[in-house]
């Protein structure tokens, strides 16, 4: 752990609050944690309230010789109530009372590790975060920068690591930023989830620019309502991105006006990205082919063209959002646009994973909401001469309201195979029934009613088997994930591997031969 020589005052804790807790501002800090089990002498414990109330564990932290406990006013009352051994008067307990302990932890972690790449950008939105962050990292690399991107699929670029949380907790986040800086990374792009923003995880990151891709229904298992979800996303601009930063915003999204007004009220430069006539970086047209697309766009009134090796219209929009962020971080626009032909799709995001012997292509995408599934189907349709087949499901123990909406979205495919995603603790057949209910009562897909195959491996095999030479198969929902959780147990499962195995089995190829189509 870093933090050599840092003091309580150096963590950004107000001097008045330290004095009220009987603490010396120049007291040295040995470490920080929100887990009482990790506390060692001289550490500061942050009592966070979530599923459990961290204040209930503060007495244990104090007995482990914590230097201080940072908590809310109600948390302080809990600590005093639970303090059950002979001790100094309650007011002498080293409790630093702050309005928001999570925010205090984020700022303290930034100060404690005290190292970040010089140029940082964050991207939020319901869909596209991973692709935009990856594209931005690739743009920077094309410009000769030592760059990295991190989020849902892990860390990629100059430093590589497997995936975890979209936005890590502040300690893990700032430890990673310090590691990247130590490895010579000068430019880094991060994903900012609504959970992470609502929990202040990204606060303390010194951002140069931030992007908003879109906002549609998602995470209603966590947020009170859609307005709460929108507010969490916009906190990236209202709280995290500093004055003078650049906000790259989707000009076609319904919340654009709200987001732009918020950004401008804080003195941020706004770059509007989209298809509308008021966009600063405007996508005016695209020609789609089997392995990618040719983009026509304008910047400051000048028409330009670039080809990218990524399938799906939304990937063109993601590429331009990444370009806007690079420009917002100080790069020359012409140099940025020159890097676009080198972009490649990120793992699990409209990723071409296999090709049948007859030429039919198979794609894996992370689309797991109604809006993202609708977008993915429409995007792949542009690259599909024949039938478009989709295999998808919905997760258990999550927003059940989106299941019929996903079924409705899947009607846009020619054939829909309803299968299991991550049922978690719920009965898989109940989830599938809710999806299929959303497909009823309207014009169904041209070929047939939905095909229900619970076993995801069998569903993928069936989809691959249906493919004619001009058809395409979209396997949606899990993307880069390498496990499937059923009845509380996570089993190894990779959509891409399953697709390649199905091609090998049906076409009589060695499985390695089935991978010849994995690169766009």
């Amino acid at each position: 752990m870093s933090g050599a020589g840092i003091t309580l005052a150096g963590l950004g804790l107000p001097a008045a609050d330290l004095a009220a807790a009987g603490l010396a501002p120049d007291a040295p800090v040995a470490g920080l944690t929100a887990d009482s089990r990790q506390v060692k002498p001289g550490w500061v414990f942050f009592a966070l309230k979530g599923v459990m109330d961290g204040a209930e564990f503060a007495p244990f932290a104090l007995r482990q010789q914590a230097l201080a406990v940072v908590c809310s006013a109600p948390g302080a009352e809990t600590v005093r109530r639970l303090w059950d051994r002979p001790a100094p008067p309650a007011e002498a307990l080293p409790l630093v009372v702050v309005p928001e302990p999570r925010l205090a932890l984020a700022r303290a972690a930034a100060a404690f590790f005290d190292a970040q790449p010089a140029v940082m950008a964050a991207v939020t939105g319901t869909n596209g975060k991973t692709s935009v962050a990856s594209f931005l990292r690739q743009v920077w690399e094309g410009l000769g920068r030592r760059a990295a991107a991190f989020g849902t699929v892990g860390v990629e670029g100059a430093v590589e690591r497997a995936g975890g949380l979209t936005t890590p907790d502040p300690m893990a986040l700032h430890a990673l930023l310090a590691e990247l800086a130590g490895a010579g990374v000068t430019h880094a792009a991060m994903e900012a989830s609504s959970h992470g923003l609502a929990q202040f995880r990204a606060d303390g990151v010194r951002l140069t620019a931030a992007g908003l891709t879109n906002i549609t229904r998602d995470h209603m298992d966590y947020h009170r309502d859609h307005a709460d979800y929108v507010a969490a996303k916009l906190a990236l601009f209202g709280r995290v991105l500093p004055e003078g930063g650049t906000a790259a915003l989707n000009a076609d999204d319904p919340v654009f006006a709200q987001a732009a007004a918020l950004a401008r009220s804080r003195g941020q430069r706004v770059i509007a990205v989209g298809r509308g006539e008021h966009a600063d970086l405007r996508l005016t047209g695209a020609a789609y082919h089997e392995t990618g697309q040719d983009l026509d766009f304008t910047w400051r009134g000048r028409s330009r063209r670039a080809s990218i090796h990524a399938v799906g219209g939304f990937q063109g929009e993601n590429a331009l959002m990444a370009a806007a962020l690079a420009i917002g971080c100080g790069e020359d626009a012409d140099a940025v646009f020159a890097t676009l032909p080198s972009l490649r799709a990120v793992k699990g995001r409209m990723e071409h994973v296999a090709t049948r012997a007859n030429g039919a292509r198979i794609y894996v995408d992370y689309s797991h909401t109604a809006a993202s599934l609708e977008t993915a189907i429409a995007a792949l349709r542009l690259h599909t001469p024949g039938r478009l087949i989709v295999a998808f499901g919905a997760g258990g123990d999550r927003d059940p309201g989106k299941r019929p909406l996903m079924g409705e979205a899947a009607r846009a495919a020619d054939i829909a195979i309803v299968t299991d995603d991550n049922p978690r603790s719920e009965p898989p057949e109940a989830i599938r029934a809710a999806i299929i209910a959303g497909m009823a009562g309207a014009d169904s897909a041209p070929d047939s009613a939905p095909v229900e195959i619970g076993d995801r491996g069998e569903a993928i095999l069936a989809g691959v088997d249906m493919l004619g030479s001009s058809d395409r198969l979209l396997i949606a929902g899990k993307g880069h994930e390498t496990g499937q959780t059923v009845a509380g147990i996570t089993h190894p499962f990779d959509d891409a591997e399953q697709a390649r195995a199905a091609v090998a089995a049906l076409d009589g190829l060695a499985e390695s031969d089935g991978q010849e189509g994995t690169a766009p």
Side-chain angles (χ1 to χ4, degrees), residues 86-413:
E91 61 269 21
L93 290 175
L95 306 181
V96 182
V97 179
V98 297
E100 180 46 72
R102 290 184 181 276
L103 179 57
L105 173 58
R107 291 173 174 170
F112 188 81
F113 287 98
D114 195 30
Q116 301 180 24
V119 177
M120 288 289 310
V123 58
T124 194
T126 306
N127 306 306
K129 296 186 295 296
T130 302
S131 290
V132 171
S134 178
F135 287 164
L136 178 55
R137 186 265 306 170
Q138 294 177 57
V139 167
W140 278 331
E141 288 180 340
L143 295 171
R145 315 302 184 205
R146 185 165 172 80
F150 59 93
T152 310
V153 299
V155 186
E156 62 171 23
V159 173
E160 298 278 346
R161 188 173 302 158
L165 291 174
T166 302
T167 309
D169 69 79
M171 292 299 293
L173 172 59
H174 287 283
L176 173 60
L177 294 179
E179 178 188 348
L180 294 178
V185 172
T186 58
H187 293 62
M190 64 176 286
E191 299 177 45
S193 68
S194 63
H195 293 66
L197 290 166
Q199 296 173 9
F200 301 94
R201 295 182 205 161
D203 289 78
V205 179
R206 297 189 288 270
L207 295 178
T208 303
L212 174 65
T213 58
N214 52 66
I215 299 182
T216 61
R217 179 191 175 107
D218 200 11
H219 298 305
M220 289 300 103
D221 54 311
Y222 179 83
H223 296 282
R224 291 189 306 272
D225 51 33
H226 186 67
D228 183 59
Y229 177 56
V230 171
K233 292 290 191 185
L234 296 189
L236 180 60
F237 309 94
R239 195 185 67 239
V240 184
L241 181 65
E243 294 184 6
T246 297
L249 306 175
N250 181 351
D252 304 325
D253 194 83
V255 304
F256 170 76
Q258 180 183 355
L262 175 62
R264 291 183 177 122
S265 74
R266 301 192 65 243
Q268 295 163 3
R269 172 194 182 192
V270 172
I271 299 178
V273 184
R275 297 175 182 270
E277 61 181 10
H278 299 298
D280 301 304
L281 182 52
R282 183 185 179 195
L283 181 61
T284 57
Y288 304 97
H289 49 83
E290 188 174 71
T291 62
Q293 54 198 286
D294 301 321
L295 305 178
D296 291 310
F297 59 97
T298 62
W299 169 250
R300 293 183 172 174
R302 178 182 166 191
S303 297
R304 302 158 191 264
R305 168 167 283 196
S307 297
I308 64 169
H309 295 285
V311 166
F314 63 89
Q315 290 287 43
E317 297 167 7
N318 289 337
L320 291 189
M321 177 62 71
L325 284 168
I327 293 168
C329 288
E331 302 292 356
D332 175 74
D334 287 333
V336 168
F337 300 144
T339 69
L340 297 184
S342 66
L343 300 185
R344 295 294 185 272
V346 68
K347 180 176 174 60
R349 270 61 177 178
M350 201 56 80
E351 179 189 8
H352 174 214
V353 297
T355 302
R356 289 209 63 178
N358 64 7
R361 296 165 71 88
I362 303 156
Y363 295 84
V364 166
D365 191 69
Y366 192 51
S367 46
H368 59 282
T369 68
S372 62
L373 182 60
E374 180 180 11
T375 298
I377 291 172
L380 190 54
R381 175 73 72 186
L382 299 170
H383 303 266
T384 303
R387 300 175 305 167
L388 177 55
I389 303 167
V390 61
F392 75 106
D397 302 336
R398 301 288 190 273
D399 179 16
K402 75 177 183 181
R403 296 169 190 173
L405 299 178
M406 292 185 69
E408 184 178 353
R411 293 205 309 259

Side-chain angles (χ1 to χ4, degrees), residues 6-17:
I6 196 165
T7 64
L8 283 172
L11 296 180
L13 298 171
D17 294 333

